[in-house]
Amino acid sequence: MALADATAFPYGLRVLVVDDDPTWLKILEKMLRKCSYDVTTCGLASIALQILRERRNKFDIVISDVNMPDMDGFKLLELIGLEMDLPVIMMSIDGETSRVMKGVQHGACDYLLKPVRMKELRNIWQHVYRKKMHEVKEIEGNDSCDDLQIFRNGVEGFDERGLFMRADSDTMRKRKDMDKDHADQDSSDGATVKKARVVWSVDLHQKFVNAVNQIGFDKVGPKKILDLMNIPGLTRENVASHLQKYRLYLSRLQKQNEERIMGAARQDFSHKGPSDNLNLRSSFQEQPGNLSNGFQHSSQKIQAQINIPDPHLDDTKTSVPLKVPDKNGTSVSDAVDPQNMTSASPLSGVFSFERMPVNQDRKLSETMILECQSWSGSVPPKQFMQYPKHNHERCDLLGDYSCLPKPDLEHPIAPGHLYAPPPVISMSCSVEGDVRDFSDVKPDLLGCMKSLSPALTCTVESVSAQLSDSVVTSTNSDQKFSSVEGLSSIKDCDFDQERNQATLLTSEEASIICGTDLTCLHDELSGYQLQGVSFGNIGLSSIDLFQCNDAMALPGLHNNWYDDVEFSSETMEFPLLDGGLFA
Amino acid sequence: MEYSNLQRQAASLKKSLFDQGYLDEQFCQIEYLQDEASPNFTEEVVSLFFENSTRLMTNIEQAMEKNPRDFSRWDVNMQQLKGSCSSIGASRMKNECTSFRNICGDENAEGCMRSFQNLKREHGVLRQKLESYFQVLRQAGPAVTAARPRGM
């Protein structure tokens, strides 16, 4: 099923049907099969959620009855929208306007009355397509918009999962090509009015970053970049707007680093719970307290994310001190105490993030989300983007902070999809204590890097992640991270792009720490590496990486990653990667 | 196409079910779904329905005994049963469910009891008729099943 082929019926559209009535379930299943759809049935809302969480990216649309014994259909609808952002169709015997309205309000893309006819089911694919189109439009519309939030909204909606994300690189390439064609057409129109729809793929972004670095960030200008990139069909406008975003991304990173430093400085290192592993540093120290709820939820989520049906992951998961999936949140708080985050950890990003929503600091939270996502695993960048749009407050209300994407390690996708190795989470564990001199950390990192280097030497196509000592040193080899404050000075440092490798380190470290199976990590890291690479361009990201005493530069990594994602909003496929990924 | 006597009989049974309002269009939809992949689909769905509806009715009966005047609970349970009835097009039953819910809304416990008794009866009759129908159908052979009843 390719979006590019507009005339082909979406055979194999993956539908999840949820209905407590076994008779209806059987009938609907048969009807949908007859429509040539791929059907999975489920009799309970809770099971449905579980299925969706475990097999994220494996469904295009959900059809659910409103009245179910274990959970209100509307609540399920909300949760699915929040967590997975899948189109949901509601069904009911009750066609009362108020009910239908409620369905719409909760985000249902359609409301069918029982008895449902097959012809109604045959057309459900339109909802899937419409959603994607809508997201694409949003992305386009924000082309020149500095409001990355909006952009994120658009991108987040962009659902790689369904049609695109089916581990089908052909589809994605098709789409990319299609977009590129548009771009070509548009630019050939001498478009000053119409914006070319350029897909900032990983490759393209890498070229962009290369060009920027070659010119020198300070001296950079769209024309120069355009010339250096030498991409036919790319207009100066495309580059200009991308550059604008890139700059924003960098400045955001910087800001985040500052905040993190400030936050970390104020951190209370009384980490409780399975402290041996989890030193979480809250990047957003400024928002204590109320965040904990969200925090817990998010932790939960994070854990859930980690909860990939991948044996390796499971191992990793267990080794991670952050046993989040505790429903009542206690483990979460233990593992991650927002207030007590001491060391950055992959999760810390998440936690910080979680806190953000509560604080209604959208930007931050969004960033956080990405952080979580970044390490959470193979969640395609796009997925990350989704989260920002979530109403986190709602998440809290729902008591189910399922905003975090779940990694899908089972389905590594075309390059550009970041897979945060689960170990990343465990990274949080390795180093405890205060921020030490970087030199202290360095050896560890180096060790990690070295041990991981074979794995890291990159599988990502456009990312040539290379672990090298420079990674560690890049952030300023001689600078010491003796205190959090010290980090701020790092910001001023110039970091090569190679520095990004540092980010890789973090992931590696994580894996090492976790004792994760490197092979498994490898796949995950491939995506992750991209992240690292992107960071390379930004000195700050390196700083982030090494900001914490533990090798958890993850938070930084996350930030970067997140920023990358934001930044790469233009990229359809790899939003996350865009942020200076391919230096 | 030649219809054997049995097939004619089956067709006639079905027609009367429709004429008397026991079944509606939805039943045809179910039959339409039957194919080579699921040659006994209709019968399977119907027996699933009776299994489920029996269970739901037991729930309702128990609720009416143990939770007297708990109209909202009764209503919720009845809503479920109604939804189930709609699955195979059990029209008379469905109407009785609607009636029950209305009476429930009026908080008329007596009325609800009566309505429920009607429902039980309808349920029994429908089950009997459909069982006969399928029996004849099985005997008649596969030819007739997917056909829409003449005169529908």
Side-chain angles (χ1 to χ4, degrees), chain A residues 181-419:
Chain A
D181 286 343
H182 288 182
D184 288 347
Q185 278 169 10
D186 290 348
S187 45
S188 67
D189 286 343
T192 33
V193 177
K194 200 161 78 162
K195 281 210 173 0
R197 185 159 42 134
V198 174
V199 175
W200 284 91
S201 66
V202 162
D203 283 345
L204 196 60
H205 183 76
Q206 183 168 14
K207 289 198 170 81
F208 170 85
V209 172
N210 286 340
V212 167
N213 291 320
Q214 203 171 326
I215 298 167
F217 192 69
D218 296 336
K219 294 173 271 174
V220 85
K223 187 76 175 67
K224 289 183 191 169
I225 299 173
L226 184 66
D227 291 341
L228 262 180
M229 284 177 73
N230 193 26
I231 304 277
L234 193 65
T235 68
R236 189 197 156 282
E237 272 177 349
N238 300 142
V239 175
S241 103
H242 195 70
L243 178 63
Q244 194 176 38
K245 293 189 160 90
Y246 188 60
R247 283 201 174 111
L248 271 165
Y249 158 67
L250 293 183
S251 69
R252 170 187 285 248
L253 264 186
Q254 190 162 5
K255 217 169 125 202
Q256 282 173 354
N257 283 330
E258 282 172 359
E259 282 161 354
R260 174 169 307 125
I261 287 165
M262 298 311 284
R266 284 184 272 158
Q267 277 293 342
D268 162 24
F269 294 107
S270 57
H271 175 78
K272 54 185 190 209
S275 57
D276 53 302
N277 289 333
L278 210 46
N279 281 328
L280 296 173
R281 169 167 299 176
S282 167
S283 306
F284 301 93
Q285 189 63 12
E286 307 89 84
Q287 290 103 19
N290 48 355
L291 290 175
S292 50
N293 259 353
F295 203 91
Q296 288 180 357
H297 287 297
S298 60
S299 321
Q300 255 180 4
K301 245 13 214 225
I302 297 174
Q303 186 70 6
Q305 291 177 354
I306 300 175
N307 193 359
I308 301 166
D310 179 319
H312 292 301
L313 285 176
D314 286 343
D315 291 343
T316 302
K317 190 169 50 141
T318 51
S319 65
V320 175
L322 184 67
K323 298 269 197 239
V324 176
D326 184 344
K327 292 270 170 24
N328 57 19
T330 46
S331 63
V332 171
S333 48
D334 282 349
V336 180
D337 186 351
Q339 250 108 23
N340 298 332
M341 302 224 283
T342 49
S343 58
S345 65
L347 288 177
S348 64
V350 172
F351 297 109
S352 311
F353 170 64
E354 298 306 337
R355 291 168 57 169
M356 293 321 297
V358 177
N359 285 315
Q360 318 231 336
D361 182 333
R362 201 128 178 263
K363 289 222 156 129
L364 280 177
S365 55
E366 284 171 327
T367 306
M368 287 314 202
I369 296 174
L370 280 178
E371 294 191 26
C372 299
Q373 293 182 342
S374 59
W375 54 261
S376 61
S378 50
V379 175
K382 288 235 187 295
Q383 289 191 339
F384 282 25
M385 297 302 275
Q386 289 175 9
Y387 293 90
K389 92 171 173 189
H390 290 319
N391 178 348
H392 300 294
E393 290 175 314
R394 273 174 89 216
C395 288
D396 284 338
L397 288 174
L398 292 174
D400 183 356
Y401 214 93
S402 51
C403 298
L404 299 176
K406 303 221 189 326
D408 180 4
L409 290 164
E410 290 182 311
H411 306 280
I413 303 182
H417 288 283
L418 293 172
Y419 289 90

Side-chain angles (χ1 to χ4, degrees), chain A residues 98-223:
Chain A
S98 58
R99 297 287 277 178
V100 176
M101 178 70 81
K102 195 172 175 192
V104 172
Q105 281 168 349
H106 281 77
C109 60
D110 205 350
Y111 195 106
L112 303 177
L113 292 192
K114 283 179 169 176
V116 178
R117 292 282 180 266
M118 199 156 109
K119 60 181 180 233
E120 294 173 283
L121 292 178
R122 208 188 293 277
N123 285 331
I124 63 174
W125 61 267
Q126 63 175 288
H127 301 293
V128 181
Y129 276 84
R130 189 180 300 121
K131 199 174 174 74
K132 297 209 188 308
M133 295 273 77
H134 183 64
E135 280 140 20
V136 165
K137 265 200 197 134
E138 279 185 317
I139 292 168
E140 278 184 350
N142 290 317
D143 202 10
S144 62
C145 181
D146 285 348
D147 186 343
L148 293 174
Q149 284 187 4
I150 295 175
F151 177 80
R152 272 191 295 277
N153 284 341
V155 177
E156 68 175 310
F158 194 86
D159 192 355
E160 289 274 308
R161 272 183 299 206
L163 303 171
F164 299 151
M165 283 293 290
R166 300 240 232 131
D168 179 5
S169 44
D170 284 342
T171 302
M172 300 212 286
R173 256 180 260 122
K174 256 193 221 169
R175 179 154 181 76
K176 213 202 296 195
D177 292 343
M178 190 175 73
D179 288 341
K180 278 277 174 65
D181 286 343
H182 288 182
D184 288 347
Q185 278 169 10
D186 290 348
S187 45
S188 67
D189 286 343
T192 33
V193 177
K194 200 161 78 162
K195 281 210 173 0
R197 185 159 42 134
V198 174
V199 175
W200 284 91
S201 66
V202 162
D203 283 345
L204 196 60
H205 183 76
Q206 183 168 14
K207 289 198 170 81
F208 170 85
V209 172
N210 286 340
V212 167
N213 291 320
Q214 203 171 326
I215 298 167
F217 192 69
D218 296 336
K219 294 173 271 174
V220 85
K223 187 76 175 67

